[in-house]
Amino acid sequence: MGVFNLLKLSDIIIGCMLSLLLYALDRNIFEKEEKSGIPKPLVEFANKPMILHQIEALKAVGVTEVVFAINYQPELCEVMLNFLKEFEAKLGITISCSQETEPLGTAGLLALARDKLIDGSGEPFFVLSSDVISEYPFKEMIEFHKAHGGEVSIVVTKVDEPSKYGVVVMEETTGKVDKFVEKPKLFVGNKINAGIYLLNPSVLDRIELRPTSIEKEIFPKIAAEKKLYAIVLPGFWMDIGQPKDYIAGLRLYLDSLRKKSSTKLATGHHIVGNVLVHESAKIGEGGLIGPDVVVGPGCVVEAGVRLSRCTVMSGVRIKKHACISSSIIGWHSTVGQWARVENMTILGEDVHVCDEIYSNGGVILPHKEIKSSILKPEIVM
């Protein structure tokens, strides 16, 4: 079974990063893309590149090939392939790229990769968005797809405020999709597209090699022919393309990890709730870590530090009695003694926050030293 991982680096890269996190992690924390050539899908989520979560789940259901669809940035493709080569042998998966030379949309990208997706077997292939983190119900999708006999299976998830999204109207018993309603003013349902698809190769015959949206142009036509079905996602789902959603996704992921593999989580009198600490990280005495915290490899957390609802990337040093909450601390940064960092502050790579500094929602680009407090959310260039 082939796999097409929809990683359109024009909007899911670490430089512009997830909107603000996109922007912040893109041009900021994730500006690594521009300065070091690291695409957003390779940014760590729970101490593992975002995309690796998907690849490992796909491997578990028998997928043997992954194709990354990216825009025309040869250097980024090379970075991704070089990074993932080690996982090819380890996971037994073939990884390649399909590059566009002009924006083709989510369907046009599939047409461009047609030769990579069709192998003559007639087996369906997955299409994923790299920003999505979930429990990836790939096995259930395969069984569901075979059972209904349609052309397309999509995953939907329930939300509390469907008016913010495009709603999928479907039969509850069969999963057959009736129509898609974009940001409905009146309630028509609470299920939205979760960005995980399983398509028959015949879908490619419907797509021309031109800018096309699979969600807005192709899927509605297939639904009108009663050949598109939806399965409701069990467990959690989050599009982590925005900083606040990245942090919210960590909470959901760690909660799922607690239920499935709790031994991977940290324990001790200084741990509160779900906390993931890399084995190479060092945690000082007298602090309090958690809930919903990830500490990356090579980090040093000194004595008396308070961490909650945050992620700390590799190589970070947090000095004595600092307090960090609801924030993202970029690679090889330093947070000074008695500093307070909160309210979706994002530190880019190699940012140094001096002692006793307060940051309230600051977005700081890489290689900066912060000597004065940031009292309201702002971008520090």
Side-chain angles (χ1 to χ4, degrees), residues 23-326:
Y23 174 75
L25 286 190
D26 208 30
R27 282 206 117 323
N28 202 80
I29 286 193
F30 299 146
E31 173 194 316
K32 288 186 80 170
E33 170 193 293
E34 291 185 10
K35 294 203 171 182
S36 343
I38 297 181
K40 191 185 80 179
L42 300 186
V43 172
E44 297 90 344
F45 178 85
N47 287 341
K48 185 186 300 183
M50 291 182 188
I51 192 58
L52 203 54
H53 290 274
Q54 296 182 341
I55 293 176
E56 290 179 345
L58 290 164
K59 168 63 179 177
V61 296
V63 168
T64 59
E65 182 177 3
V66 175
V67 180
F68 291 97
I70 64 176
N71 60 11
Y72 188 65
Q73 298 182 63
E75 68 285 357
L76 293 182
C77 182
E78 183 178 356
V79 168
M80 291 191 69
L81 290 180
N82 288 341
F83 179 87
L84 294 169
K85 280 299 179 183
E86 62 176 292
F87 296 105
E88 277 195 313
K90 190 180 298 184
L91 299 176
I93 282 183
T94 301
I95 300 174
S96 61
C97 285
S98 174
Q99 291 182 295
E100 64 182 7
T101 56
E102 61 176 327
L104 289 173
T106 52
L109 283 169
L110 290 173
L112 182 64
R114 179 186 179 94
D115 292 343
K116 294 178 179 289
L117 299 174
I118 295 181
D119 58 7
S121 68
E123 290 191 13
F125 56 91
F126 287 101
V127 177
L128 311 176
S129 166
S130 71
D131 276 354
V132 169
I133 192 78
S134 76
E135 295 181 357
Y136 303 122
F138 296 140
K139 181 180 179 181
E140 294 85 346
M141 283 189 75
I142 294 170
E143 295 171 350
F144 177 68
H145 191 76
K146 290 179 178 178
H148 67 62
E151 209 170 359
V152 174
S153 295
I154 69 172
V155 174
V156 296
T157 187
K158 296 179 180 179
V159 295
D160 294 331
E161 298 184 54
S163 61
K164 295 181 178 181
Y165 307 91
V167 173
V168 180
V169 180
M170 55 184 279
E171 294 180 3
E172 294 296 329
T173 54
T174 66
K176 185 182 294 182
V177 173
D178 178 45
K179 59 183 177 179
F180 298 85
V181 182
E182 187 66 24
K183 296 182 180 180
K185 295 182 179 180
L186 299 176
F187 183 83
V188 295
N190 65 344
K191 300 177 185 69
I192 66 169
N193 185 343
I196 303 174
Y197 315 138
L198 187 57
L199 314 180
N200 284 352
S202 58
V203 172
L204 297 175
D205 296 332
R206 299 173 176 267
I207 305 172
E208 298 178 14
L209 186 56
R210 61 177 180 82
T212 314
S213 167
I214 196 167
E215 295 83 5
K216 296 181 179 180
E217 298 175 63
I218 306 302
F219 282 172
K221 293 178 182 178
I222 298 176
E225 297 175 13
K226 310 300 182 184
K227 295 180 179 180
L228 193 152
Y229 290 76
I231 181 173
V232 179
L233 178 72
F236 77 94
W237 175 90
M238 181 63 69
D239 182 328
I240 56 175
Q242 302 288 333
K244 63 181 179 61
D245 295 331
Y246 181 98
I247 294 297
L250 276 177
R251 178 182 63 79
L252 297 173
Y253 176 84
L254 293 174
D255 185 58
S256 176
L257 194 61
R258 165 73 65 185
K259 297 172 184 176
K260 292 186 174 183
S261 187
S262 61
T263 57
K264 294 182 179 180
L265 296 174
T267 57
H269 65 277
H270 61 298
I271 300 296
V272 177
N274 298 327
V275 175
L276 184 65
V277 178
H278 192 272
E279 58 185 10
S280 65
K282 298 179 180 179
I283 308 294
E285 295 295 326
L288 196 59
I289 313 299
D292 308 322
V293 170
V294 172
V295 179
C299 291
V300 176
V301 179
E302 297 183 1
V305 167
R306 178 71 175 105
L307 302 178
S308 64
R309 298 178 300 281
C310 63
T311 188
V312 181
M313 302 292 189
S314 62
V316 167
R317 177 177 287 273
I318 302 173
K319 296 186 177 181
K320 294 179 181 179
H321 305 295
C323 179
I324 300 173
S325 66
S326 302

